[in-house]
Amino acid sequence: MRTQVGIVGAGPAGLLLGHLLHLNGIDTVIVENRDREYVVDRVRAGVLEQGTVDLLAAIGVGAGLESRGLRHDGIFISFAGRRHRIDMAELTGGKAITVYGQNEVVRDLIDARVATQRPLYFDAQCVEVNALDSSTPIVRFVHGDTAHELQCDFIAGCDGFHGVCRPSIPEGVLSIYERSYPFGWLGILAEAAPSSDELVYTYHDRGFALFSMRSTSITRLYLQVPPDEPIERWPDDAIWEEMLTRMTTSDGWQPNVGRILQKGVTPMRSFVAAPMRHGRLFLAGDAAHIVPPTGAKGLNLAASDVVVLARALKAFYETGSTDWLEQYSAICLRRVWKAQRFSWWMTTLLHRLPDLTEFDRQRQLADLDYLIGSRAAMTSLAEQYVGLPQDF
Ligand code: APR
Ligand code: PHB
């Protein structure tokens, strides 16, 4: 087969890129190694920056978001038994976040892809990429019992952290920057009406906790736990007991308890691979960078990467210019590092770091106290949380 851009991975990055290029009349083939159900049902984060919401609406994939997304003008930071609201809309001239599950975004983008009748292969096996330094890079995969060879002008590696694209880049080309954190997150989906209409980030001596939601009947909650914590150690009652201990505030606020629909533990790491390009292979999203979820940046970074890549490919096919393609990695990495810094800062601000001294603990509390008492500090958090302007 022949196409202009071969896209490996049908997560938010790959599907969004496919749609942006479709709108610019550029041919793509998307190759995904899992089945459609797995890709859609995978429970992930769910906070969209203002820019991501505007983008999805602008490309005609905003109907679900419009009807089921929950716009939040603020968030709460809670510590020492008290919640403190940060009015992000007031501090950023009206910008906000929207809570809308990543799996909903993926479902909407798959529906949009199917409507374009452009190729989307699920269940592709033995996916590999080759000839990255040539003018015709190749994606090979097996679908059903047919072996496919897809000749491309470019390959977009949107196959996540555990994909094949990044590891296909020769040894020594990439610089790897990483930090792992001495804790993970135990996340649950619960059948309980949200008792707060905005997210609550809690610092507690027993560890961090996060109150979020998916709808007016589904709550999404997280607990800081030791890294690699086996979920078996957390029967539902123990989870609720710990959630209530960490989150309940002196004014009596606490999450509603309900049936736990799903639970799991995710590790926490910061990771950047640079450059985000090798030859005709362009990495985007989790294939190139991972942020700890505390800043809710993962999905939004994937979206901003592919906006830059789509612009660069459009320029190439319309004018033959490779300028934007040459600058792709540098443009994306500027935003990636700012998001890395913000996510690291939120993580170290709000988590109980195991080897902290009593001095550090008091300093952490003073950090939080300064934050909720300073308009400048709250504005800095707010403008980063709702999303910095897309800078090309
Ligand atoms: N061949 C084809 N597809 C693959 C392969 C492979 N070898 N390996 C992985 N994939 C697919 C995965 O099954 C997944 O559907 O690539 C897709 C990558 O999607 P994501 O991991 O969601 O990454 P990305 O699209 O970059 O979105 C980043 O996802 O993980 C969240 O928090 C993260 O919000 C961030 C967002
Ligand atoms: C979520 O709703 O899943 C969520 C919200 C905020 C975060 C991370 C995850 O920082």
Side-chain angles (χ1 to χ4, degrees), residues 75-77 86 88 181 183 185 199-203 208 210 268 292-297 339-353 364 368 371 380-382 384-385:
I75 58 170
F76 289 94
I77 300 286
I86 297 187
M88 301 189 297
Y181 297 86
F183 42 76
W185 275 10
L199 274 57
V200 184
Y201 284 85
T202 298
Y203 169 87
F208 169 78
L210 171 61
M268 301 274 283
T294 326
K297 291 293 170 221
Q340 287 290 350
R341 191 207 71 79
F342 177 66
S343 305
W344 164 84
W345 176 73
M346 285 280 277
T347 300
T348 46
L349 175 74
L350 292 161
H351 285 72
R352 193 89 173 88
L353 301 170
Q364 210 171 355
L368 290 160
L371 172 64
S380 171
L381 186 156
Q384 294 178 86
Y385 197 89

Side-chain angles (χ1 to χ4, degrees), residues 324-336:
W324 286 101
L325 290 169
E326 305 296 340
Q327 295 170 36
Y328 167 72
S329 181
I331 292 171
C332 291
L333 286 170
R334 269 188 79 197
R335 190 178 184 83
V336 166

Side-chain angles (χ1 to χ4, degrees), residues 2-220:
R2 180 90 190 70
T3 190
Q4 291 176 299
V5 183
I7 299 175
V8 184
L15 292 163
L16 191 51
L17 179 64
H19 201 63
L20 288 167
L21 296 179
H22 163 72
L23 294 175
N24 287 293
I26 299 169
D27 293 341
T28 58
V29 172
I30 302 179
V31 179
E32 163 64 47
N33 68 350
R34 307 302 295 262
D35 62 35
R36 181 175 180 155
E37 288 57 48
Y38 176 89
V39 167
V40 169
D41 296 343
R42 194 168 34 200
V43 177
R44 289 265 183 79
V47 168
L48 305 184
E49 292 176 348
Q50 187 72 56
T52 307
V53 170
D54 298 345
L55 171 71
L56 292 171
I59 64 173
V61 192
L65 193 47
E66 184 69 27
S67 59
R68 298 189 305 282
L70 305 169
R71 178 190 159 102
H72 289 182
D73 286 349
I75 58 170
F76 289 94
I77 300 286
S78 179
F79 65 101
R82 289 193 52 206
R83 287 180 301 157
H84 306 270
R85 184 165 186 268
I86 297 187
D87 185 340
M88 301 189 297
E90 196 274 322
L91 292 163
T92 62
K95 289 186 178 172
I97 55 157
T98 299
V99 173
Y100 187 63
Q102 176 167 321
N103 53 325
E104 300 282 343
V105 174
V106 166
R107 182 186 285 115
D108 296 343
L109 286 167
I110 290 173
D111 293 347
R113 179 73 181 184
V114 171
T116 68
Q117 298 178 331
R118 289 182 181 276
L120 168 50
Y121 291 90
F122 286 109
D123 277 319
Q125 299 314 313
C126 314
V127 179
E128 57 179 61
V129 295
N130 295 293
L132 303 178
D133 290 319
S134 77
S135 60
T136 315
I138 293 171
V139 180
R140 290 197 177 84
F141 63 98
V142 176
H143 192 254
D145 47 19
T146 307
H148 294 266
E149 179 175 289
L150 176 65
Q151 294 183 348
C152 318
D153 297 336
F154 302 97
I155 296 176
C158 301
D159 51 351
F161 185 75
H162 302 287
V164 291
C165 289
R166 188 182 66 250
S168 302
I169 297 177
E171 196 68 35
V173 169
L174 294 177
S175 301
I176 300 295
Y177 308 86
E178 59 188 321
R179 168 183 291 251
S180 56
Y181 297 86
F183 42 76
W185 275 10
L186 186 164
I188 67 169
L189 269 180
E191 210 168 40
S195 58
S196 164
D197 50 18
E198 290 176 338
L199 274 57
V200 184
Y201 284 85
T202 298
Y203 169 87
H204 190 278
D205 280 346
R206 296 173 62 85
F208 169 78
L210 171 61
F211 172 94
S212 180
M213 61 205 71
R214 284 292 173 271
S215 70
T216 52
S217 60
I218 301 289
T219 305
R220 176 78 166 143

